[in-house]
Amino acid sequence: MTEGISPAIAEKAPLILAEIEKASSILMHCHPLPDPDSVGSALAMKMALEGMGKKATVIKGDSSIPRAFAHFPGASEIEERSFSDVDLSKYDLFISLDSGSRSMVSQAHPPALPLPIRTVVIDHHVTNETYGDINLVDASSPAVAFILFQLFSVWKVPLTHDIATDLFMGIYTDTGGFRYAPTDWRVIAAASELARNAPDFTETIFKMENSQSKEAIYFQALAFSSVETFLGDSVAIAAVSHRQLAEKHIPEECIRGIGISNILKSVIGWNVGVSLIERVEGEVKVSLRTRDRDRFDVSKLAAALGGGGHRAAAAAVLHMPLDEAKKLVVAKAKELYNL
Ligand SMILES: [Mn+2]
């Protein structure tokens, strides 16, 4: 399906392949708090590279791999190392996937730039800082897995069952199950071809969506029971303190603020959904979602809080007590949206 390949991808495909052909040992990572696009893309790329006769390594990076993705094909080969633990001199090439900046390579120890190793960046975040020797950033792709699907098609990489499964999971998840823009006919066509090669994809989805730990539910209970609305009910805020997380023994991987703000904005009239999660004492992660990206562009609210993102989905980190963070978000929303 060459007719569906983005011009940016067609242009960079031979350059990236040339880098791969020069290399013998290639490194990939999973970004902090990895999602299926990060894990699935890294694993699919690893298998594609091995098919070309290369040695390919995927490290877990900062975070542990959530149990929900542990059954993705190849996941058992992910090495339990963070980026700062890796001796880069042992590799000829780093392929950074789904990671817009060096803090997505490692939040705990962001590497100095430029990296001391040939680097290819493949990403779909419009804010990508293009820190590679070759950068393929296609913001029109809803997932890195969709970019890889197109690259593999140009490179004639066979879509084995396992590669197809990992790419399918990345596309399925980053599109919210084919619900979000920019999901278009090309994405559905790719998913169709992947599904043909991985006909058991519904089982993989079922296992992913039904691997929750009880702590993830306790976290959601804390968050939803804290909801307050402001500015004529236009802004709904869930706030969870570090003390509450500690009391319920909720581990890091169960804390997903995005899931909370996304559900808040599903209420008619709650135009902006906000989650404020104090992961570390005095450090509040802000996740913003809106149901009306024209009237309530949350990238502007995030920018006013020192963060960034897209019009419908954005985030920031505030270094202040939870109550102050809540007041600040409300004050900035009032000002920006004339509420
Ligand atoms: Mn992604």
Side-chain angles (χ1 to χ4, degrees):
M1 50 161 275
T2 37
E3 58 165 330
I5 291 175
S6 300
I9 296 173
E11 182 203 326
K12 296 284 171 72
L15 304 177
I16 297 172
L17 187 60
E19 288 291 334
I20 291 169
E21 280 169 350
K22 277 190 281 176
S24 57
S25 188
I26 301 168
L27 177 69
M28 271 115 12
H29 77 299
C30 302
H31 67 56
L33 300 176
D35 56 25
D37 193 32
S38 170
V39 176
S41 293
L43 293 173
M45 180 61 98
K46 177 178 191 284
M47 290 185 270
L49 295 171
E50 286 168 348
M52 300 178 197
K54 304 295 173 182
K55 183 175 182 296
T57 304
V58 176
I59 57 166
K60 71 171 181 55
D62 277 10
S63 309
S64 49
I65 303 299
R67 184 164 54 178
F69 325 147
H71 63 288
F72 285 14
S76 61
E77 289 172 34
I78 297 175
E79 295 189 7
E80 287 281 321
R81 287 190 286 164
S82 56
F83 195 80
S84 55
D85 294 336
V86 172
D87 179 358
L88 292 176
S89 71
K90 298 226 155 72
Y91 300 90
D92 322 295
L93 179 64
F94 172 47
I95 302 182
S96 175
L97 300 166
D98 203 30
S99 297
S101 65
R102 65 198 189 102
S103 66
M104 289 299 277
V105 176
S106 172
Q107 182 105 51
H109 304 281
L113 295 179
L115 292 165
I117 175 174
R118 291 293 288 177
T119 301
V120 169
V121 170
I122 303 174
D123 190 22
H124 67 129
H125 294 96
V126 69
T127 48
N128 190 288
E129 291 169 4
T130 59
Y131 51 93
D133 298 293
I134 297 176
N135 301 285
L136 170 50
V137 180
D138 181 16
S140 75
S141 282
V144 166
F146 182 53
I147 301 177
L148 296 190
F149 174 83
Q150 294 173 71
L151 283 176
F152 292 175
S153 154
V154 176
W155 295 342
K156 308 259 186 299
V157 169
L159 285 180
T160 62
H161 168 272
D162 288 357
I163 288 178
T165 301
D166 285 332
L167 291 182
F168 188 97
M169 296 309 291
I171 293 173
Y172 172 79
T173 310
D174 263 26
T175 58
F178 308 107
R179 282 175 295 168
Y180 307 143
T183 306
D184 61 11
W185 71 268
R186 297 185 313 140
V187 177
I188 303 291
S192 166
E193 198 172 327
L194 293 168
R196 186 205 308 228
N197 291 286
D200 58 346
F201 69 94
T202 57
E203 280 171 45
T204 312
I205 293 172
F206 184 91
K207 281 191 217 157
M208 176 178 74
E209 294 183 343
N210 295 279
S211 300
Q212 295 238 59
S213 61
K214 60 185 191 302
E215 289 83 4
I217 305 298
Y218 296 157
F219 166 69
Q220 290 170 35
L222 278 177
F224 289 128
S225 63
S226 76
V227 173
E228 292 173 86
T229 61
F230 299 89
L231 306 171
D233 286 353
S234 213
V235 175
I237 301 184
V240 181
S241 70
H242 182 256
R243 192 167 54 82
Q244 288 175 299
L245 294 171
E247 274 170 5
K248 293 272 183 197
H249 306 288
I250 296 170
E252 190 201 10
E253 65 268 19
C254 296
I255 303 167
R256 294 273 160 163
I258 293 167
I260 305 299
S261 53
N262 209 22
I263 289 175
L264 295 183
K265 71 99 179 74
S266 71
V267 175
I268 293 173
W270 291 7
N271 292 301
V272 180
V274 182
S275 68
L276 300 176
I277 314 297
E278 190 186 22
R279 288 173 173 276
V280 181
E281 209 170 333
E283 185 185 300
V284 180
K285 179 93 206 289
V286 184
S287 167
L288 304 165
R289 290 292 183 276
T290 183
R291 54 187 293 123
D292 182 350
R293 67 183 76 198
D294 298 316
R295 169 83 177 82
F296 299 92
D297 176 346
V298 289
S299 71
K300 289 184 182 158
L301 181 53
L305 300 168
H310 312 281
R311 285 196 300 155
V317 177
L318 295 172
H319 294 273
M320 59 184 69
L322 192 58
D323 273 354
E324 258 178 61
K326 196 189 292 178
K327 282 184 197 138
L328 182 66
V329 170
V330 173
K332 292 289 181 193
K334 183 176 188 334
E335 190 183 310
L336 274 170
Y337 305 134
N338 291 315
L339 291 167

